[in-house]
Amino acid sequence: TNIIVTSMLLLGGAATVNALTGMDLSVASFLIPWGVILYTAAGGLKATFLASYIHTAIIFVVLVVCVYTVYVKTSSTDGIYDGLET
């Protein structure tokens, strides 16, 4: 099961790189693990945990900005409720 999940993640990442840059799928599938290996080897496990915390903080900031934009700037909560009710 782990091999299937790993290959799915790798192929999904390669497909994303292909869609964004036009890079060949085989090249992207080869380079993505090397990037992860070099990143982890350069900073060790500490860098991996630090990156995880930073990415989580970024996700929370983006989530708060989106909620603020939808509920405060775009329309009021009454407008959102009326839209969901219909």
Side-chain angles (χ1 to χ4, degrees), residues 45-62:
L45 196 56
K46 180 181 174 183
T48 305
F49 283 125
L50 182 63
S52 180
Y53 287 127
I54 291 172
H55 293 150
T56 304
I58 291 171
I59 289 170
F60 279 126
V61 168
V62 168

Side-chain angles (χ1 to χ4, degrees), residues 17-72:
V17 171
N18 177 303
L20 293 174
T21 65
M23 182 185 293
D24 186 43
L25 281 174
S26 344
V27 174
S29 296
F30 180 77
L31 290 178
I32 288 174
W34 279 106
V36 171
I37 289 168
L38 291 174
Y39 177 76
T40 306
L45 196 56
K46 180 181 174 183
T48 305
F49 283 125
L50 182 63
S52 180
Y53 287 127
I54 291 172
H55 293 150
T56 304
I58 291 171
I59 289 170
F60 279 126
V61 168
V62 168
L63 184 63
V64 167
V65 168
C66 288
V67 167
Y68 176 79
T69 302
V70 167
Y71 283 111
V72 178

